[in-house]
Amino acid sequence: VRTAIRNPIGAHPLTELARGKTDACIVVCDVTRPVPNPIVLSEVLDSLAVAGLTSNKVKVLIATGTHRPNDEKELRNMLGDRVMAECEIINHFCTDTDDMVNLGVSPNGVPIWLNRHYVQADLKITAGMIEPHFMAGFAGGRKMVMPGVAALETIQAWHSPQFLEDPLATNGVIEDNPVHVEATWIANQCRPDFIVDVALDNEK
């Protein structure tokens, strides 16, 4: 993880990106995804600290999508003691309109509402997992933003037959997959500055 953060693909090292930033929001998967967050987030926090961005200026936003919020026991198991002690932890509530920011409408008519803690952060980071996904082709990347921290109205429009009934909206397909394309377009309206994704091997 440390090597990947220092030598990322298609981005500057995290310490360079973090210099001069006032705060950060790290979006992480909820309890339904087996991401090794204590390992990943510890390395991310260390890199931010080197750049002068201390943990008390970091929010960890749980990308629940439309799932229920995670309780304290789940959060501790997911995130580890260090993150729980040092960072502000926030569950995304897709129905909490006061926590949403409107970013317009996509060319396909999807209203774009994303969590304000993510949108307003000076440095935006996502930490997730890449695995086959039954309609988006693969999880990870853009899905941490859309639908991870999107409003219910946005997710429902994206989960409509307009996208899901396309034969290319299936496992392992990225090219011309309308679910993937739409999620990517929406995420790009407020794109993360840095992504840390893990992938499952044969031994999980």
Side-chain angles (χ1 to χ4, degrees):
V1 174
R2 184 177 302 134
T3 300
I5 289 174
R6 291 177 178 175
N7 302 276
I9 300 167
H12 295 293
L14 183 55
T15 51
E16 291 183 22
L17 295 173
R19 285 197 182 97
K21 301 295 185 182
T22 57
D23 59 46
C25 178
I26 308 173
V27 179
V28 302
C29 294
D30 70 2
V31 73
T32 65
R33 304 290 191 269
V35 180
N37 285 307
I39 296 170
V40 173
L41 295 183
S42 181
E43 295 294 340
V44 170
L45 291 177
D46 285 348
S47 291
L48 295 180
V50 169
L53 200 56
T54 53
S55 298
N56 64 323
K57 297 177 181 177
V58 176
K59 294 178 180 179
V60 175
L61 179 60
I62 313 302
T64 57
T66 59
H67 301 168
R68 64 165 177 81
N70 299 159
D71 61 34
E72 185 173 356
K73 182 179 179 181
E74 290 170 332
L75 291 172
R76 191 166 296 279
N77 287 336
M78 287 163 47
L79 303 175
D81 292 338
R82 177 186 177 184
V83 175
M84 291 291 288
E86 296 182 9
C87 302
E88 181 181 356
I89 314 298
I90 302 167
N91 272 300
H92 170 71
F93 287 89
C94 68
T95 55
D96 187 351
T97 54
D98 290 338
D99 258 355
M100 302 298 164
V101 175
N102 181 250
L103 298 176
V105 180
S106 81
N108 287 309
V110 175
I112 305 169
W113 293 87
L114 298 178
N115 190 290
R116 65 178 178 87
H117 297 287
Y118 170 77
V119 173
Q120 296 170 356
D122 202 16
L123 181 68
K124 301 170 181 62
I125 302 168
T126 66
M129 182 178 72
I130 298 170
E131 63 177 347
H133 189 275
F134 71 100
M135 62 184 185
F138 290 92
R142 75 282 185 245
K143 278 192 86 262
M144 297 298 296
V145 178
M146 175 63 204
V149 296
L152 179 61
E153 177 184 2
T154 302
I155 298 170
Q156 286 179 328
W158 179 66
H159 274 182
S160 67
Q162 175 185 0
F163 302 104
L164 300 189
E165 289 185 353
D166 192 291
L168 294 176
T170 189
N171 277 299
V173 176
I174 293 294
E175 188 172 357
D176 295 329
N177 179 336
V179 176
H180 162 70
V181 171
E182 187 71 7
T184 302
W185 196 94
I186 292 172
N188 274 332
Q189 305 316 297
C190 190
R191 60 187 299 155
D193 300 295
F194 198 81
I195 294 173
V196 186
D197 277 340
V198 299
L200 291 171
D201 63 12
N202 290 334
E203 297 180 358
K204 299 189 185 301

